[in-house]
C-alpha cells in the first residue's frame, strides 16, 4: 500500500468499480510495452489508493514481466460491459504487487465480485472440478495507484483531469 494513498474523483471511482474490461500495459525487457485485456471485476480499495485484477497462472510471461518491472497502466476505455455509466476514459498508472498465493478467502472474494458481473457461477462436484483451475489457480495483482488521468469521453478527448505527480 502506498504511504499516502492517491485520491480520485467519484466519477473515476464509478468507472473503476463498474467497468469489466480494461487494457493493462506492462513493460517489456526491451523497454517497450505490451497491452492485454484483463477483467478488473471492480476490485478497488479507494481508501488505500489501490486497484486490482486477477490473472491465470497460464500466462507466465505477463507475470514474469510485471514481477521484473512492476510499473503498469490500466486503461478503462470502454463501457461495452459492466455497470459503469460515466463515459469518462480513465487511465491509472502505478506499481503492481503480485500475490502469487492468494488466500482462499481472497479467491472467494474474487468469485463474489465475478458473480456481480456474470451472475452466480455453476457449482457442484463436476463444475467445481472442471472450473478448479479457473477459480483457484489464479494470482492477484494489486496496483498502488500513483497517477490517474481522466478525460470526459471515451475518445480521451477534451480537458484532462490529472491526480498525482507528472
Amino acid at each position: 500500500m502506498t504511504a499516502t494513498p492517491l485520491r480520485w474523483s467519484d466519477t473515476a471511482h464509478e468507472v473503476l468499480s463498474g467497468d469489466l474490461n480494461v487494457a493493462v500495459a506492462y513493460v517489456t525487457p526491451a523497454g517497450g510495452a505490451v497491452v492485454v485485456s484483463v477483467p478488473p471485476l471492480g476490485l478497488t480499495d479507494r481508501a488505500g489508493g489501490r486497484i486490482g485484477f486477477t490473472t491465470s497462472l497460464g500466462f507466465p510471461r505477463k507475470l514474469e514481466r510485471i514481477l521484473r518491472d512492476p510499473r503498469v497502466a490500466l486503461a478503462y476505455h470502454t463501457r461495452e460491459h459492466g455497470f459503469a455509466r460515466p463515459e469518462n476514459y480513465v487511465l491509472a498508472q502505478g506499481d503492481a504487487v503480485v500475490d502469487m498465493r492468494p488466500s482462499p478467502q481472497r479467491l472467494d472474494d474474487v468469485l463474489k465480485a465475478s458473480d456481480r458481473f456474470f451472475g452466480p457461477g455453476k457449482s457442484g462436484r463436476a463444475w467445481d472440478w472442471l472450473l478448479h483451475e479457473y477459480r483457484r489457480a489464479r494470482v492477484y495483482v494489486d496496483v498502488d495507484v500513483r497517477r490517474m488521468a481522466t478525460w470526459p469521453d471515451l475518445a480521451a478527448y477534451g480537458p484532462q483531469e490529472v491526480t498525482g505527480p507528472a
Side-chain angles (χ1 to χ4, degrees), residues 10-149:
D10 291 341
T11 300
H13 187 68
E14 186 176 344
V15 170
L16 299 173
S17 299
D19 214 352
L20 179 60
N21 186 26
V22 304
V24 64
Y26 55 89
V27 181
T28 68
V34 173
V35 180
V36 296
S37 178
V38 297
L41 301 173
L43 302 174
T44 63
D45 174 5
R46 192 175 191 183
R50 189 173 257 198
I51 57 179
F53 61 92
T54 67
T55 189
S56 168
L57 289 170
F59 301 103
R61 175 116 346 133
K62 174 176 31 177
L63 293 171
E64 290 167 5
R65 289 178 174 169
I66 291 173
L67 288 167
R68 187 186 61 71
D69 187 338
R71 295 174 300 161
V72 298
L74 285 91
Y76 293 75
H77 61 88
T78 180
R79 299 297 106 75
E80 294 285 325
H81 311 285
F83 305 107
R85 292 294 161 241
E87 291 293 317
N88 298 66
Y89 183 104
V90 178
L91 179 66
Q93 297 169 292
D95 298 310
V97 178
V98 180
D99 183 354
M100 294 295 289
R101 292 197 169 104
S103 70
Q105 178 60 50
R106 199 161 199 209
L107 291 171
D108 288 344
D109 290 346
V110 168
L111 290 177
K112 288 176 194 166
S114 178
D115 287 352
R116 178 176 167 236
F117 288 91
F118 301 114
K122 301 279 189 187
S123 64
R125 188 174 174 177
W127 283 111
D128 293 347
W129 179 78
L130 286 169
L131 295 173
H132 180 268
E133 296 302 313
Y134 177 76
R135 293 178 176 164
R136 296 295 179 194
R138 303 197 69 70
V139 297
Y140 209 107
V141 181
D142 294 301
V143 179
D144 291 320
V145 181
R146 289 183 286 108
R147 183 174 194 268
M148 187 173 292

